[in-house]
Amino acid sequence: MNSMPDTQPAGLKWLWTALAWLVAAAILCVYVATAAPNAWWGDGMELATAAKVLGVAHPTGYPLYMVVGHLAIRLMGWMEPGRATTILNAILLAAASGLTILLLLRVMAVRNFRTFAIAAGLAMIIASGTTIWEHATITEVYPLTYALCVAVLSIGWAPSDSRPGLGRGIALGAVTGLASLNHYSILALYPLVALLVLEWSWQGSWARRVGYVAACFFSWLVMLAGFVYLPLRARANPGMNWGDPRTLENVLWVLSGGQYRMMNRELWQSGGWHNGSIRWMTWWGDQWLPKGPGWMTAAVGVAIMAPAIAGLVLLARRRPAFGVGLMFTLVATFCYSVYYQISDIDAYFLPALPALAIGWVEAGGLVVRRHTIAPKWLAVAPALLAAFMFWAKYPAIDKSFDVMPDRYAAAVMKALPRDAVLLLEGDNSIFSLWYYQTALGKRPDVSVIATGFLLEGWYERYFEAAGRPRPPVKVISREPTSKLDWDIDLIYNAVLPCLKAGKRVFVAYDDVILEQYFSPRLVATVPPGPVYRKYTKPNTQLPTSSVWELTPNPALAAMSREEFRENLANFYIHHVEVVDRPKDE
């Protein structure tokens, strides 16, 4: 395909652009039809909350998504904030599909209905992949980075018969920097960008070369200056201010991953090279297959990757910087899997998807050139396969019916009296209550305490935000030691002070220590278990569906901290397995 001339007059190029965006619009309709009614479980509710108040989200803060998400919330003001940010993600990923079609047409260097069908079909196959489609139905930061990744590749694919001007190099640096302002997965494209800039600058005098590289580097650096958003917004202390990055130390803590660094270290020690390698290979099979045995998805992954890698090798022969750079992208995503074993590492692999499609196109071009008499229907085979994928995976990905995040938060708040104190654990329950209070502005009288943050010094400012109650809790800054010490801090720095102040304290998670010392009284089931099973998609980290009220314990209140330590240690020995490690956050 790549050796064939353009068979359409230049005046018809608008047609392919229009058709590409028509396909993108159709993909958008599928995404919106399957999107969650709100931000959904997990990070989505926290991100939507932070975007609503132009705050600081969990590390690494995601300044670009905060600004773009805030604009989306403002522009779609008739929607709830979580729904607006979810629709934003659907739009971003559908737009990325349109850009992918146009990019593949340029790679094939031929514009006719057959090549358009191939490009559109491949883009639709990518769009039907599990990770892409899932992120089009929830609120997350990855869709914005992925859309910018495709933009980087589109800028990088310069016409082969002309020398790229300085403007293209500056645009390449700027978009790469902008993507870096959102999420670090863009690092997978850094080798490609560096090789392209060096290749484009390698003509003319040394002064021109240095000037070209310096201009591209400066445009990248200017975009990175957007990280100043973190200290600026932290000083304002918006309703979401994770890490409180007012100081350089806190800014570096947020940008380097915060508390997630320790979690990753533990995961690496337990999994290491083997688990990461297997996960990366099976991911490719999981994108377009139902869940099956690991060996099967790994085998499919090899079958998917082999022609793409072969195509990139061919591409490197005619466009060395682009071909080699995309192979580095694949290697980088593999390294993510090996060295950063978080639960949502799958989204870090997304920059490799357009590289995969380009490799397929190159490999397919070789086959067509060697077998010139090919059935015309083969051009529509990718689109037919993609349509089947959309149809087959629709029930598993559809979240349009799942109203449980909203109903959970509303039911918990309904069970609480005015000025109550609520103890929470786990992202799903904490983030849904943060969203309910801060993004929707409901029940601001309730003091929501995320117990896992009581040893994070920055969390003290959470209670200093405007309009938020200030319960008598003590937040300290130190590394967690043993679970025994953590339980003592929870009781003496949060539970007992609130009870002594006359507050009614409630808890929405199971805790054997609180059960032993405060005789919790069940006050509500939120919502009943059958409702979870009916409305909620499978999720292993759903909140506990009960709310208890803690009963004051005068005997415990009279104990000194050391007396309680001895009492609790004895309870551990006789009733609970001793856990001599930090409590999971």
Side-chain angles (χ1 to χ4, degrees), residues 26 64 93 112 123 148 161 164 167-169 179 182 185 191 193 231 293 297 323 413 490 519 541 571 581:
L64 184 62
L93 290 176
N112 55 40
L148 291 172
D161 57 351
R168 184 179 288 268
N182 190 61
S185 57
V193 172
T297 50
M413 287 300 192
L490 170 63
S519 304
Q541 298 179 336
F571 177 79
R581 63 177 177 80

Side-chain angles (χ1 to χ4, degrees), residues 21-41:
W21 292 116
L22 186 63
V23 172
I27 293 172
L28 177 61
C29 290
V30 175
Y31 286 167
V32 172
T34 53
N38 215 312
W40 211 56
W41 299 109

